[in-house]
Amino acid sequence: MWIRLRPLLAGGTILPLLLAACDGSGHPEAGVPEPQSEPPAVVASAPTSLSEIFPEGLGRALVIESCGGCHAVACSAIGQRTTGRWKALEADHRDRVADMGDEDYAALFAYLSENFNDSKPEPSIPPQFLAGGCTPF
């Protein structure tokens, strides 16, 4: 669409008078910016390492270094166990890590109970961290 301009004589100067303002599409609303859509939701990426699954804290290194002897380490991060269930697992597992001192053993289970319990959402763990399976606890 062509826009026509009409000259206007004003004090010996010719000024253009725009009769229509348009972006050329012929639609009056065409020059109005479209409302922005919602930004895409931030999607939490899946963990790529054990350090992303297990939060910082006393006992974290013990879990990562010790729990993989019998099952995939990440198995301890799923299931969202109650405090009572963690205590039962602590009693049941003592003979499996007999070489660990009592203080470290208590720190390991305190860490698991604090970070992976039934009051927190279960973390999303990629299958490669659960390879080999989890013993049903």
Side-chain angles (χ1 to χ4, degrees), residues 77-116:
I78 60 174
Q80 305 318 94
R81 299 165 182 93
T82 63
T83 301
R85 185 66 188 133
W86 277 120
K87 289 288 183 194
L89 288 169
E90 182 177 1
D92 181 57
H93 279 68
R94 188 60 184 123
D95 62 329
R96 297 177 188 175
V97 286
D99 58 334
M100 183 181 287
D102 290 340
E103 190 174 307
D104 285 344
Y105 189 74
L108 181 147
F109 274 93
Y111 171 87
L112 289 172
S113 181
E114 179 183 329
N115 290 286
F116 304 103

Side-chain angles (χ1 to χ4, degrees), residues 12 14 26-27 30 35 40 52 55 67 78 81 83 101 126:
I14 298 177
H27 299 290
E52 292 178 35
C67 294
I78 60 174
R81 299 165 182 93
T83 301

Side-chain angles (χ1 to χ4, degrees), residues 3-51:
I3 299 173
R4 295 183 161 255
L5 300 177
R6 291 193 184 179
L8 177 65
L9 187 58
T13 308
I14 298 177
L15 299 173
L17 177 63
L18 184 60
L19 295 178
C22 182
D23 71 349
S25 69
H27 299 290
E29 67 275 7
V32 177
E34 299 221 5
Q36 296 295 319
S37 61
E38 292 288 322
V42 176
V43 177
S45 60
T48 58
S49 69
L50 288 175
S51 62

Side-chain angles (χ1 to χ4, degrees), residues 49-77:
S49 69
L50 288 175
S51 62
E52 292 178 35
I53 295 170
F54 295 96
E56 291 289 331
L58 181 63
R60 174 188 187 208
L62 294 167
V63 168
I64 292 172
E65 295 167 6
S66 303
C67 294
C70 300
H71 53 78
V73 175
C75 292
S76 56

